[in-house]
Amino acid sequence: MALKKYILFDNDGVLVHTEPLYFKANIKALKEFFDISLEFEEYMKIMSEGTTVWQKACDRGFSQKEIQIARNKRNEYYQEYLKSENILIDGVKEVLKELSKNYKMAIITTSRRVDFEIIHKDLGIVDFMDFVLCEEDYEFAKPHPQPYLKGLEIFGAAKNEAIVVEDSKRGLTAAYRAGIECVIVKNDFTTTQDFSQATFFIESLKQLKTILN
């Protein structure tokens, strides 16, 4: 492995424990507005492919206007959960503090900026980052490579100087297509996904330094 200088982190599931809350918000809105249930395996497939949970409502003939109302409500539910539940992952800040001495770091997320700011309001994680890219900061979301390529561009980094840290197939695909080596950090929520394209697999973020060394 070439010597790394830059670390590009995914957010949800890697730095904060938010993915189950987003799933829960989707379940609630789909049931409430369309009486549609959403199974975990089905949701995992949607997340892996970067498609949408609203396709089920669309297939049943609901209008885009109705879907937008439900989507807005889903976003409200998600924000309520973010504000009320513990989303910290044990040891993350200590790891970032240590890594920040030797690496330049950024967060590349598919989160909306408004949700990202709620998530990180009092966590102090962003203090260790050079910049953050949210959904509004690029044209094509993961699994498209653009978010990670834009991260490299901002750093002025070569692909082999950077490493991506992800927990999902969708993010791994984005990194792979961008030509950047990817570390998958274990997350019980995404553990059933196919990570065969990953360069490394770690049990927790605490092992990242070992790999980089």
Side-chain angles (χ1 to χ4, degrees):
M1 186 170 80
L3 188 67
K4 305 301 179 190
K5 300 176 186 172
Y6 307 92
I7 309 173
L8 305 175
F9 289 96
D10 174 46
N11 183 56
D12 304 282
V14 171
L15 300 176
V16 284
H17 192 55
T18 48
E19 285 168 326
L21 305 183
Y22 195 63
F23 177 46
K24 193 162 82 163
N26 276 295
I27 290 174
K28 192 171 179 182
L30 277 167
K31 190 71 184 164
E32 182 182 334
F33 287 89
F34 309 120
D35 197 28
I36 291 173
S37 58
L38 181 65
E39 299 302 323
F40 181 73
E41 287 72 19
E42 192 178 18
Y43 182 69
M44 281 293 104
K45 188 168 186 288
I46 289 166
M47 288 290 106
S48 294
E49 294 168 355
T51 51
T52 170
V53 297
W54 309 109
Q55 191 57 48
K56 292 185 84 171
C58 204
D59 293 344
R60 293 201 190 174
F62 291 101
S63 71
Q64 285 306 312
K65 188 180 177 185
E66 289 170 302
I67 289 170
Q68 191 54 51
I69 291 167
R71 189 192 289 259
N72 292 343
K73 198 68 188 171
R74 183 273 315 269
N75 293 341
E76 278 180 40
Y77 290 143
Y78 181 47
Q79 291 181 1
E80 283 170 21
Y81 297 149
L82 288 175
K83 289 171 183 172
S84 61
E85 304 203 23
N86 179 25
I87 55 172
L88 260 181
I89 294 175
D90 184 45
V92 164
K93 278 177 75 173
E94 291 76 7
V95 170
L96 294 176
K97 186 177 180 180
E98 188 63 28
L99 289 171
S100 67
K101 296 170 187 171
N102 300 306
Y103 300 92
K104 286 187 162 299
M105 305 190 295
I107 297 172
I108 315 287
T109 177
T110 42
S111 289
R112 300 181 310 149
R113 177 78 54 181
V114 59
D115 296 331
F116 185 88
E117 285 176 359
I118 291 170
I119 290 167
H120 287 280
K121 185 169 175 280
D122 300 311
L123 297 188
I125 285 174
V126 178
D127 300 348
F128 300 109
M129 301 297 157
D130 287 77
F131 61 88
V132 174
L133 293 183
C134 290
E135 183 191 70
E136 298 87 346
D137 299 320
Y138 44 77
E139 192 180 351
F140 302 108
K142 302 173 193 175
H144 196 284
Q146 190 189 49
Y148 283 123
L149 290 172
K150 186 166 181 183
L152 288 183
E153 193 184 318
I154 292 170
F155 272 138
K159 292 176 183 184
N160 66 351
E161 293 178 314
I163 197 156
V164 165
V165 185
E166 272 283 355
D167 72 314
S168 74
K169 166 72 172 157
R170 182 181 179 179
L172 168 60
T173 302
Y176 186 79
R177 288 176 179 170
I180 310 167
E181 287 187 292
C182 184
V183 178
I184 291 293
V185 61
K186 186 183 178 186
N187 176 355
D188 291 335
F189 195 72
T190 56
T191 193
T192 58
Q193 295 181 9
D194 171 19
F195 296 125
S196 53
Q197 293 174 324
T199 312
F200 300 100
F201 192 90
I202 55 179
E203 289 290 319
S204 89
L205 215 54
K206 293 171 185 173
Q207 292 173 278
L208 186 56
K209 195 179 171 192
T210 313
I211 282 177
L212 291 165
N213 290 341

